[in-house]
Coordinates of all heavy atoms in Angstrom, one line a residue:
Chain A
G131 N 1.4 -9.0 28.5 CA 0.2 -9.7 28.8 C -0.2 -9.8 30.2 O -1.3 -10.4 30.6
K132 N 0.5 -9.1 31.1 CA 0.1 -9.1 32.5 C 0.2 -7.7 33.0 O 1.0 -6.9 32.8 CB 1.1 -9.9 33.4 CG 1.3 -11.3 32.9 CD 1.8 -12.2 34.0 CE 3.1 -12.9 33.6 NZ 3.1 -13.8 32.4
V133 N -0.9 -7.3 33.8 CA -0.9 -6.0 34.3 C -0.6 -6.0 35.9 O -1.2 -6.8 36.6 CB -2.3 -5.3 34.2 CG1 -2.5 -4.1 35.0 CG2 -2.6 -5.0 32.7
T134 N 0.4 -5.4 36.3 CA 0.9 -5.4 37.7 C 0.3 -4.3 38.5 O -0.3 -3.4 37.9 CB 2.5 -5.3 37.8 OG1 2.8 -4.1 37.4 CG2 3.1 -6.3 36.9
F135 N 0.5 -4.4 39.8 CA 0.1 -3.3 40.7 C 0.7 -2.0 40.2 O 0.0 -0.9 40.2 CB 0.5 -3.7 42.1 CG 0.1 -2.7 43.1 CD1 -1.1 -2.7 43.7 CD2 1.0 -1.7 43.5 CE1 -1.6 -1.7 44.6 CE2 0.5 -0.8 44.5 CZ -0.7 -0.8 45.0
N136 N 1.9 -2.0 39.9 CA 2.6 -0.8 39.5 C 2.1 -0.3 38.2 O 2.0 1.0 38.0 CB 4.1 -1.0 39.3 CG 4.8 -1.0 40.7 OD1 4.3 -0.4 41.6 ND2 5.8 -1.8 40.8
D137 N 1.7 -1.1 37.2 CA 1.1 -0.6 36.0 C -0.2 0.2 36.4 O -0.4 1.4 35.8 CB 0.7 -1.7 35.0 CG 1.8 -2.4 34.5 OD1 2.9 -1.7 34.3 OD2 1.9 -3.6 34.1
M138 N -0.9 -0.4 37.2 CA -2.2 0.3 37.6 C -2.0 1.7 38.3 O -2.6 2.6 38.1 CB -3.1 -0.6 38.4 CG -3.7 -1.8 37.6 SD -4.9 -2.8 38.5 CE -3.8 -3.9 39.4
L139 N -0.9 1.6 39.1 CA -0.5 2.7 40.0 C -0.2 3.9 39.0 O -0.5 5.1 39.2 CB 0.5 2.3 40.9 CG 0.6 3.2 42.1 CD1 -0.7 3.2 42.9 CD2 1.8 2.8 43.0
D140 N 0.7 3.4 38.0 CA 1.1 4.5 37.0 C 0.0 5.2 36.3 O 0.0 6.4 36.1 CB 2.0 3.8 35.9 CG 3.4 3.5 36.5 OD1 3.8 4.1 37.5 OD2 4.1 2.6 35.9
V141 N -1.0 4.4 35.8 CA -2.1 4.9 35.2 C -2.9 5.9 36.0 O -3.2 7.0 35.7 CB -3.1 3.9 34.5 CG1 -4.3 4.6 34.0 CG2 -2.3 3.1 33.5
L142 N -3.1 5.5 37.3 CA -3.7 6.3 38.3 C -2.9 7.6 38.5 O -3.6 8.7 38.6 CB -3.9 5.6 39.6 CG -5.1 4.8 39.7 CD1 -5.2 4.1 41.1 CD2 -6.3 5.6 39.6
H143 N -1.7 7.5 38.5 CA -0.9 8.7 38.7 C -1.0 9.6 37.5 O -1.1 10.8 37.8 CB 0.7 8.2 38.8 CG 1.6 9.4 38.8 ND1 1.8 10.1 39.9 CD2 2.4 9.9 37.9 CE1 2.7 11.0 39.7 NE2 2.9 11.0 38.5
D144 N -1.0 9.0 36.4 CA -1.3 9.9 35.1 C -2.6 10.7 35.3 O -2.6 11.8 34.9 CB -1.3 9.1 33.8 CG 0.1 8.7 33.5 OD1 1.0 9.2 33.9 OD2 0.2 7.7 32.6
L145 N -3.6 10.0 35.8 CA -4.9 10.7 35.8 C -5.0 11.6 37.0 O -5.8 12.5 36.9 CB -5.9 9.6 36.0 CG -6.1 8.8 34.6 CD1 -7.2 7.6 34.9 CD2 -6.6 9.6 33.5
T146 N -4.4 11.3 38.1 CA -4.8 12.1 39.3 C -3.5 12.7 39.9 O -3.6 13.3 41.0 CB -5.3 11.2 40.4 OG1 -4.3 10.2 40.7 CG2 -6.6 10.5 39.9
G147 N -2.4 12.7 39.2 CA -1.1 13.1 39.8 C -1.0 14.2 40.7 O -0.4 14.2 41.8
Q148 N -1.7 15.3 40.3 CA -1.5 16.5 41.1 C -2.5 16.6 42.3 O -2.4 17.4 43.2 CB -1.5 17.8 40.3 CG -2.4 17.5 39.1 CD -2.6 18.8 38.2 OE1 -3.4 18.7 37.4 NE2 -1.9 19.8 38.5
F149 N -3.4 15.7 42.3 CA -4.5 15.9 43.3 C -4.3 15.1 44.5 O -4.8 15.5 45.6 CB -5.9 15.5 42.7 CG -6.2 16.4 41.5 CD1 -6.4 16.0 40.2 CD2 -6.4 17.8 41.7 CE1 -6.7 16.7 39.2 CE2 -6.6 18.6 40.7 CZ -6.8 18.1 39.4
I150 N -3.7 13.9 44.4 CA -3.6 13.1 45.7 C -2.1 12.6 45.6 O -1.5 12.5 44.5 CB -4.5 11.9 45.7 CG1 -4.6 11.1 44.5 CG2 -5.9 12.4 46.1 CD1 -5.6 10.0 44.6
S151 N -1.6 12.2 46.8 CA -0.2 11.8 47.0 C -0.1 10.3 46.6 O -1.1 9.6 46.6 CB 0.2 12.0 48.4 OG -0.4 10.9 49.2
E152 N 1.2 9.9 46.4 CA 1.5 8.6 45.9 C 1.0 7.5 47.0 O 0.5 6.5 46.7 CB 3.0 8.5 45.8 CG 3.4 7.2 45.2 CD 3.1 7.0 43.7 OE1 2.6 8.0 43.1 OE2 3.2 5.9 43.1
Q153 N 1.2 7.9 48.2 CA 0.8 7.0 49.3 C -0.8 6.7 49.3 O -1.2 5.6 49.3 CB 1.2 7.7 50.7 CG 2.0 6.9 51.5 CD 2.1 7.5 52.9 OE1 1.7 8.7 53.0 NE2 2.6 6.9 53.8
Q154 N -1.4 7.8 49.1 CA -2.9 7.7 49.2 C -3.4 6.9 47.9 O -4.2 6.0 48.1 CB -3.6 9.1 49.0 CG -3.4 9.9 50.3 CD -3.8 11.3 50.1 OE1 -3.7 11.9 49.1 NE2 -4.5 12.0 51.1
R155 N -2.7 7.1 46.8 CA -3.0 6.3 45.7 C -2.8 4.8 45.9 O -3.7 4.0 45.6 CB -2.2 6.7 44.5 CG -2.9 7.6 43.5 CD -2.1 7.7 42.2 NE -0.8 8.2 42.4 CZ -0.6 9.5 42.4 NH1 -1.5 10.4 42.2 NH2 0.7 10.0 42.6
E156 N -1.7 4.5 46.5 CA -1.4 3.0 46.9 C -2.4 2.5 47.7 O -2.8 1.4 47.5 CB 0.0 3.0 47.4 CG 1.1 2.9 46.5 CD 2.5 2.3 47.1 OE1 2.3 1.4 47.9 OE2 3.4 3.0 46.8
Q157 N -2.8 3.3 48.7 CA -3.7 2.8 49.7 C -5.1 2.4 49.0 O -5.6 1.4 49.3 CB -4.0 3.8 50.8 CG -3.0 3.9 51.9 CD -3.3 5.0 52.9 OE1 -3.9 6.0 52.5 NE2 -2.9 4.7 54.2
V158 N -5.5 3.4 48.3 CA -6.8 3.2 47.6 C -6.8 1.9 46.7 O -7.6 1.1 46.7 CB -7.2 4.5 46.8 CG1 -8.5 4.2 46.0 CG2 -7.5 5.7 47.7
L159 N -5.7 1.9 45.9 CA -5.7 0.8 44.9 C -5.6 -0.5 45.7 O -6.3 -1.5 45.3 CB -4.4 1.0 44.1 CG -4.3 0.0 42.9 CD1 -5.5 0.0 42.0 CD2 -3.0 0.2 42.1
T160 N -4.8 -0.6 46.7 CA -4.6 -1.8 47.5 C -6.0 -2.3 48.0 O -6.4 -3.4 47.9 CB -3.6 -1.7 48.6 OG1 -2.5 -1.0 48.1 CG2 -3.2 -3.0 49.1
H161 N -6.6 -1.3 48.6 CA -7.9 -1.6 49.2 C -8.9 -2.1 48.2 O -9.5 -3.2 48.4 CB -8.4 -0.4 50.0 CG -9.8 -0.5 50.4 ND1 -10.2 -1.4 51.4 CD2 -11.0 0.0 50.0 CE1 -11.5 -1.3 51.7 NE2 -12.1 -0.4 50.8
V162 N -9.1 -1.4 47.2 CA -9.9 -1.8 46.1 C -9.6 -3.2 45.4 O -10.5 -3.9 45.2 CB -10.0 -0.6 45.1 CG1 -10.5 -1.1 43.8 CG2 -11.0 0.5 45.6
L163 N -8.4 -3.4 45.3 CA -7.9 -4.7 44.8 C -8.3 -5.8 45.7 O -8.8 -6.8 45.3 CB -6.5 -4.8 44.6 CG -5.9 -4.2 43.2 CD1 -4.4 -4.2 43.2 CD2 -6.4 -5.2 42.1
E164 N -8.1 -5.6 47.0 CA -8.4 -6.7 48.0 C -9.8 -7.0 48.0 O -10.3 -8.0 48.1 CB -7.8 -6.2 49.3 CG -6.3 -6.6 49.4 CD -5.6 -5.9 50.5 OE1 -6.4 -5.4 51.4 OE2 -4.5 -6.0 50.6
E165 N -10.6 -5.8 47.9 CA -12.1 -5.9 47.9 C -12.5 -6.8 46.8 O -13.5 -7.6 46.9 CB -12.6 -4.7 47.8 CG -13.8 -4.4 48.7 CD -14.6 -3.1 48.3 OE1 -14.0 -2.3 47.6 OE2 -15.7 -3.0 48.7
A166 N -11.9 -6.7 45.7 CA -12.3 -7.5 44.5 C -11.7 -8.9 44.4 O -11.9 -9.6 43.5 CB -11.9 -6.6 43.2
G167 N -11.0 -9.2 45.5 CA -10.4 -10.5 45.5 C -8.9 -10.7 45.0 O -8.5 -11.9 44.8
Y168 N -8.3 -9.6 44.7 CA -6.8 -9.7 44.3 C -6.1 -9.2 45.4 O -6.4 -8.7 46.4 CB -6.7 -8.9 43.0 CG -7.6 -9.4 41.9 CD1 -8.7 -8.6 41.6 CD2 -7.1 -10.4 41.1 CE1 -9.5 -9.1 40.5 CE2 -7.9 -10.8 40.0 CZ -9.1 -10.2 39.8 OH -9.9 -10.5 38.7
T169 N -4.6 -9.4 45.2 CA -3.8 -8.7 46.2 C -2.9 -7.8 45.4 O -2.9 -7.6 44.3 CB -2.9 -9.9 46.8 OG1 -2.0 -10.3 45.8 CG2 -3.8 -10.9 47.4
K170 N -2.0 -7.2 46.3 CA -1.0 -6.2 45.6 C -0.1 -7.0 44.7 O 0.4 -6.4 43.8 CB -0.1 -5.7 46.8 CG 0.0 -4.2 46.7 CD 0.8 -3.6 47.8 CE 1.8 -2.5 47.4 NZ 2.4 -1.9 48.4
E171 N 0.2 -8.3 45.0 CA 1.2 -9.0 44.1 C 0.5 -9.7 42.9 O 1.1 -10.3 42.1 CB 1.8 -10.1 45.0 CG 2.9 -9.7 45.8 CD 2.5 -8.9 47.0 OE1 1.4 -9.4 47.6 OE2 3.0 -7.9 47.4
S172 N -0.9 -9.5 42.7 CA -1.6 -10.2 41.7 C -1.1 -9.7 40.4 O -0.9 -8.4 40.2 CB -3.0 -9.8 41.8 OG -3.6 -10.5 42.9
L173 N -1.1 -10.5 39.4 CA -0.9 -10.1 38.0 C -2.1 -10.4 37.3 O -2.6 -11.4 37.1 CB 0.3 -11.0 37.5 CG 1.7 -10.8 38.1 CD1 2.6 -11.9 37.5 CD2 2.2 -9.5 37.9
L174 N -2.7 -9.2 36.8 CA -4.0 -9.4 36.2 C -3.7 -9.7 34.7 O -2.9 -9.1 34.0 CB -4.8 -8.1 36.3 CG -5.6 -8.0 37.6 CD1 -4.7 -7.6 38.6 CD2 -6.8 -7.0 37.5
V175 N -4.6 -10.6 34.1 CA -4.4 -10.9 32.7 C -5.8 -10.5 32.0 O -6.6 -9.9 32.7 CB -4.2 -12.4 32.4 CG1 -2.7 -12.8 32.8 CG2 -5.2 -13.2 33.1
M176 N -5.8 -10.6 30.8 CA -7.0 -10.2 29.9 C -8.3 -10.6 30.5 O -9.2 -9.9 30.6 CB -6.8 -10.7 28.5 CG -7.7 -10.1 27.6 SD -7.8 -8.4 27.5 CE -9.5 -8.1 26.9
S177 N -8.4 -11.9 30.8 CA -9.7 -12.5 31.3 C -10.1 -11.8 32.7 O -11.3 -11.6 32.8 CB -9.5 -13.9 31.5 OG -8.4 -14.3 32.3
D178 N -9.1 -11.3 33.5 CA -9.5 -10.7 34.7 C -10.1 -9.4 34.4 O -11.1 -9.0 34.9 CB -8.3 -10.4 35.6 CG -7.6 -11.6 36.1 OD1 -8.4 -12.5 36.7 OD2 -6.4 -11.8 35.9
F179 N -9.5 -8.6 33.4 CA -10.1 -7.4 32.9 C -11.5 -7.6 32.4 O -12.3 -6.8 32.6 CB -9.2 -6.7 31.9 CG -8.3 -5.7 32.4 CD1 -7.2 -6.1 33.3 CD2 -8.4 -4.4 32.0 CE1 -6.4 -5.1 33.8 CE2 -7.5 -3.4 32.6 CZ -6.5 -3.7 33.4
V180 N -11.6 -8.6 31.6 CA -13.0 -8.9 31.1 C -13.9 -9.1 32.2 O -15.1 -8.5 32.3 CB -13.0 -10.1 30.1 CG1 -14.4 -10.4 29.7 CG2 -12.2 -9.8 29.0
K181 N -13.5 -9.8 33.3 CA -14.4 -10.0 34.4 C -14.8 -8.7 35.2 O -15.9 -8.5 35.4 CB -13.7 -11.0 35.3 CG -14.7 -11.8 36.2 CD -14.1 -12.9 36.9 CE -12.7 -12.7 37.4 NZ -12.2 -13.7 38.4

Side-chain angles (χ1 to χ4, degrees):
Chain A
K132 304 202 237 306
V133 168
T134 66
F135 183 79
N136 283 327
D137 287 333
M138 290 186 276
L139 205 58
D140 284 341
V141 172
L142 270 181
H143 174 82
D144 286 340
L145 290 175
T146 63
Q148 24 176 195
F149 299 115
I150 51 182
S151 76
E152 188 69 10
Q153 239 188 344
Q154 289 170 325
R155 259 194 297 275
E156 273 197 46
Q157 276 178 329
V158 174
L159 186 58
T160 316
H161 171 67
V162 152
L163 269 176
E164 282 167 4
E165 225 194 339
Y168 299 97
T169 69
K170 223 175 142 174
E171 281 74 39
S172 296
L173 297 173
L174 277 80
V175 291
M176 185 59 203
S177 52
D178 293 309
F179 262 65
V180 173
K181 200 165 39 163

